[in-house]
C-alpha cells in the first residue's frame, strides 16, 4: 500500500556492484551491462547503463539582454529543436573551458566572464554522465564557425523574456535546455535590468 509519508533514507539499500561487461562502444557512448546485488534480499540483476562523456550547455547573454539560441535537426525525434549551444566535453575538460569552446564553435559567439550555474544528471536511471550549465555574458558574434561534419545549425538571438515565454508555450522542449533555463531564470531574476 502506497503512502504519502517520506521513506526513511536509512531503510533504502545501496546495491553492491559486482562487475560489468561492455555491450557496445559507439562514437557517442559506451553501453555496459552491470551486475548488482541487493545487500539485504541478495537478489542479483543486470542493469544496462549508457556511459557518455559529460556535456555542457551554454546560456550566452548578449549586452542587449538577448540569449543565443540554435535550431537544428535532431535524429532522436526526427524534428527540428530550439536549444542553447552545447555539446560533448573533452575528457578532463573544465565546463568553464568547454562551454565557451562549444559556444564559439557552434555559433561564432565569444564572451566573458564564464560562470557555472549548475549541473545535473541527465537520466540517472540509465546514464552515468553529467550536464553542466555555463553562463557566458557580454556575448558577441566575432569568431568563425567550426561545425562538426554532421552539424548544420541556425543561430539566432532572442530577448530573454521571449525565450522564457517560448518555454511556457511549449516551443522549447529539450529537457536539458529547460534545466539550463531554470538555473538561468534564478540568476536573471536577480540581475535583470529594472
Amino acid at each position: 500500500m502506497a503512502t504519502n509519508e517520506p521513506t526513511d533514507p536509512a531503510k533504502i539499500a545501496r546495491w553492491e556492484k559486482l562487475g560489468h561487461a561492455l555491450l557496445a562502444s559507439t562514437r557517442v557512448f559506451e553501453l555496459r551491462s552491470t551486475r548488482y546485488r541487493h545487500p539485504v534480499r541478495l537478489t542479483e540483476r543486470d542493469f544496462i547503463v549508457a556511459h557518455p562523456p559529460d556535456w555542457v550547455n551554454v546560456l550566452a547573454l548578449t549586452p542587449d539582454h538577448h540569449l543565443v539560441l540554435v535550431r537544428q535537426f535532431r535524429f532522436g525525434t526526427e524534428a527540428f529543436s530550439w536549444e542553447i549551444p552545447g555539446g560533448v566535453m573533452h575528457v578532463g575538460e573544465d565546463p568553464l573551458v568547454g562551454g565557451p569552446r562549444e559556444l564559439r564553435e557552434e555559433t561564432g559567439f565569444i564572451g566573458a566572464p564564464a560562470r557555472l550555474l549548475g549541473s545535473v544528471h541527465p537520466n540517472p536511471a540509465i546514464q552515468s554522465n553529467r550536464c553542466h550549465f555555463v553562463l557566458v555574458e557580454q556575448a558577441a558574434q566575432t569568431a568563425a564557425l567550426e561545425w562538426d561534419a554532421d552539424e548544420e545549425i541556425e543561430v539566432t538571438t532572442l530577448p530573454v523574456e521571449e525565450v522564457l515565454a517560448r518555454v511556457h508555450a511549449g516551443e522549447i522542449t529539450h529537457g536539458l535546455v529547460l534545466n539550463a533555463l531554470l538555473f538561468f531564470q534564478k540568476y536573471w531574476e536577480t540581475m535583470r535590468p529594472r
Side-chain angles (χ1 to χ4, degrees), residues 15-191:
W15 290 59
E16 177 187 357
K17 184 177 178 180
L18 301 176
H20 70 268
L22 181 65
L23 299 177
S25 182
T26 74
R27 173 173 77 82
V28 293
F29 63 81
E30 284 187 355
L31 194 62
R32 298 180 196 158
S33 175
T34 306
R35 188 136 189 105
Y36 283 93
R37 178 175 43 227
H38 192 277
V40 177
R41 296 189 302 267
L42 301 180
T43 54
E44 293 184 15
R45 186 161 315 205
D46 292 321
F47 295 89
I48 307 301
V49 178
H51 295 273
D54 281 358
W55 302 323
V56 62
N57 282 348
V58 184
L59 295 134
L61 185 64
T62 66
D64 60 349
H65 306 110
H66 285 59
L67 285 173
V68 177
L69 294 179
V70 294
R71 183 175 174 263
Q72 56 192 319
F73 183 77
R74 290 303 197 180
F75 299 97
T77 57
E78 297 182 353
F80 287 95
S81 177
W82 280 109
E83 304 172 8
I84 56 176
V88 174
M89 293 173 51
H90 300 310
V91 175
E93 186 175 37
D94 187 294
L96 297 180
V97 173
R101 175 187 53 75
E102 281 291 332
L103 175 65
R104 179 183 43 78
E105 290 173 0
E106 286 190 2
T107 69
F109 277 81
I110 296 175
R115 75 175 75 174
L116 183 67
L117 292 182
S119 303
V120 297
H121 292 99
N123 187 346
I126 61 169
Q127 288 177 226
S128 63
N129 68 327
R130 291 175 60 85
C131 184
H132 308 281
F133 307 124
V134 172
L135 171 65
V136 173
E137 297 181 84
Q138 302 301 316
Q141 196 171 29
T142 59
L145 298 173
E146 297 178 40
W147 290 346
D148 293 337
D150 298 328
E151 286 183 319
E152 184 177 38
I153 301 170
E154 177 185 344
V155 179
T156 192
T157 64
L158 291 174
V160 170
E161 300 304 333
E162 185 175 334
V163 174
L164 297 176
R166 286 181 177 218
V167 166
H168 295 289
E171 296 173 24
I172 298 175
T173 61
H174 190 302
L176 292 172
V177 174
L178 296 173
N179 281 164
L181 289 167
L182 179 65
F183 278 97
F184 174 77
Q185 190 169 11
K186 182 175 181 178
Y187 163 83
W188 182 246
E189 288 169 357
T190 61
M191 300 302 293

